[in-house]
Amino acid sequence: MNFSGDLDAWRALPAQQQPEWEDPGEVRAVARELSKQPPLVFAGECDQLKQRLAEVARGEAFVLQGGDCAETFEGSNADAVKNKLKTLLQMAVVLTYAASVPVVKIGRMAGQFAKPRSKPSEVRDGLELPAYRGDAVNGFDFTPEARRNDPWRLLRAYHCSAVTLNLCRAFTKGGYADLRQVHAWNQDFVAGSPAGKRYERLAGEIDRALTFMKACGADPDEFHTVEFYSSHEALLLEYERALTRIDHLSGLPYDVSAHLVWIGERTRQLDGAHVEFMRHIRNPIAVKLGPTSTADDALALIDRLDPEREPGRLTFITRMGAGKIRDVLPPLIEKVERSGARVAWICDPMHGNTFEARGGHKTRRFDDVLDEVTGFFEVHRALGTHPGGIHIEFTGDDVTECVGGGHPIDEDDLHRRYETACDPRLNRSQSLDLAFMVAELYRKAV
């Protein structure tokens, strides 16, 4: 495939979910400034992730992808990043040890500052203002000043992504991710949480295994650091294009805003700007597939985005809803398998299971999240294919945004710590509950 192509061909096509910027000249000025900034990731790292995703597509590994629904500038600080990373590492340890599978760790972090919206504007008390599209576009407060679509926020999103990614690299390479830290990740959590106590028992088993291996003279480097990759939805095309660079070794274009970028359910039109842009970059890419997706849609996306069937190039992230996944997913997988394409299949059990609680909060039931993951595994087990991973929205904080879980939250609790900037997230206890349950499902499926 000729990846070099025309990197600006997308400009001639319809681009969904783009903000209405007041001044195109201001947008061009921001894009020029962004194009001068250093890369956030490097081509070799993207290629390495592609190799890992090829292993997932072959059934040799499992993806854990997660983080905030929408990152905020305020949340780009050491404590917030560490808490999210700590939760991701705990989940990965549970999956690796309890399911005996290598886990590819991908953060929904260091770039997830923009969100698609169902409506371009919002009305409160007779006042109509632009919808909040994420901190990369405008502010959350419902005022004309905050809701102005400000292209200079794109530059701030870049700098906050750099801070977050630098923190993640420091934590994962500087000793914090050492497997001997499995107890330390849980010290603030074990006392009051059933999931924390269950994790602590598993951490004790890991400790004994590590002690045994060290006594035998085995202490591999892989125990001391972690491969961690960044990802976000490639929604704002001016931002992604400005951060696309030609790799000096290969001469090929990479979007250096993240290791993996994905196309959302609302922007996957075959004749749209997002698909056109993404087919030219060399990164591993993903596409979200919702309940209206057909097998023909999936095959057409493969032909457009991965015509050479390159291992690790394309991942499908399904977001069907608990009540639909068992019916909608099988024909997609069957037809893709028959075509000979080798994509990685990942389950997003969050976005198809949102509802409005009695008090008006947007929320999700933990049981629905688990049911969709269970359906995902059931389908793959029935077809003899590989359930490649999960994609979840979570936080490392003790929020009350999703109902249920082993340390249950009910609808009357939602107001206590409902802190999300957009969609409801699993808290740390719910995330660990899910990791243990996914480990059990994986053991049964393979």
Side-chain angles (χ1 to χ4, degrees), residues 390-442:
I390 57 171
H391 174 121
I392 62 169
E393 292 181 336
F394 74 84
T395 175
D397 300 323
D398 189 22
V399 300
T400 54
E401 296 172 3
C402 294
V403 295
H407 201 199
I409 294 167
D410 62 34
E411 291 187 32
D412 294 331
D413 295 323
L414 292 174
H415 70 280
R416 287 173 38 227
R417 285 197 64 181
Y418 194 93
E419 299 174 3
T420 181
C422 196
D423 292 335
R425 305 161 295 176
L426 300 177
N427 62 26
R428 191 168 165 199
S429 178
Q430 292 165 330
S431 299
L432 275 181
D433 282 338
L434 184 64
F436 278 108
M437 293 169 182
V438 169
E440 292 172 8
L441 289 167
Y442 189 88

Side-chain angles (χ1 to χ4, degrees), residues 268-289:
R268 60 175 175 81
Q269 299 82 11
L270 284 172
D271 59 351
H274 289 81
V275 169
E276 176 63 26
F277 171 77
M278 295 279 266
R279 77 185 189 94
H280 291 289
I281 61 172
R282 193 73 176 88
N283 306 55
I285 59 176
V287 183
K288 290 277 191 91
L289 298 178

Side-chain angles (χ1 to χ4, degrees), residues 123-134:
V123 179
R124 295 187 197 175
D125 299 324
L127 177 62
E128 183 174 6
L129 294 174
Y132 172 64
R133 290 184 174 274

Side-chain angles (χ1 to χ4, degrees), residues 166-214:
N166 285 342
L167 285 167
C168 289
R169 284 185 167 128
F171 286 134
T172 55
K173 303 298 182 186
Y176 184 77
D178 192 308
L179 268 179
R180 294 185 193 85
Q181 297 288 322
V182 288
H183 286 293
W185 301 338
N186 208 44
Q187 284 174 349
D188 61 338
F189 188 55
V190 63
S193 164
K197 291 176 182 176
R198 188 177 182 186
Y199 173 86
E200 193 65 15
R201 290 194 293 272
L202 181 140
E205 294 179 27
I206 292 172
D207 260 356
R208 288 189 289 277
L210 290 174
T211 301
F212 172 77
M213 292 182 70
K214 190 172 183 180

Side-chain angles (χ1 to χ4, degrees), residues 265 268 288-298 301 320 328 331-332:
E265 165 73 358
R268 60 175 175 81
K288 290 277 191 91
L289 298 178
T292 62
S293 304
T294 66
D296 288 341
D297 291 336
L301 285 163
M320 306 298 186
V328 178
L332 268 68

Side-chain angles (χ1 to χ4, degrees), residues 30-51:
V30 173
R32 283 194 299 272
E33 192 66 27
L34 281 168
S35 69
K36 300 174 187 175
Q37 303 305 311
L40 293 173
V41 302
F42 298 100
E45 296 172 334
C46 297
D47 291 343
Q48 185 181 51
L49 176 57
K50 194 181 296 179
Q51 293 170 12

Side-chain angles (χ1 to χ4, degrees), residues 288-292 317-330 333 346-354 364-380 387 389-392 434 437-438 441:
K288 290 277 191 91
L289 298 178
T292 62
I317 304 172
T318 64
R319 39 153 295 177
M320 306 298 186
K324 297 179 179 178
I325 188 165
R326 292 169 177 86
D327 297 323
V328 178
L329 186 58
I333 295 176
I346 295 177
C347 176
D348 169 0
M350 309 295 293
H351 286 90
N353 295 306
T354 305
R364 291 156 175 158
R365 291 186 184 90
F366 180 82
D367 285 350
D368 291 340
V369 171
L370 178 59
D371 187 35
E372 180 157 0
V373 174
T374 302
F376 175 78
F377 276 89
E378 288 173 357
V379 168
H380 280 284
I390 57 171
H391 174 121
I392 62 169
L434 184 64
M437 293 169 182
V438 169
L441 289 167

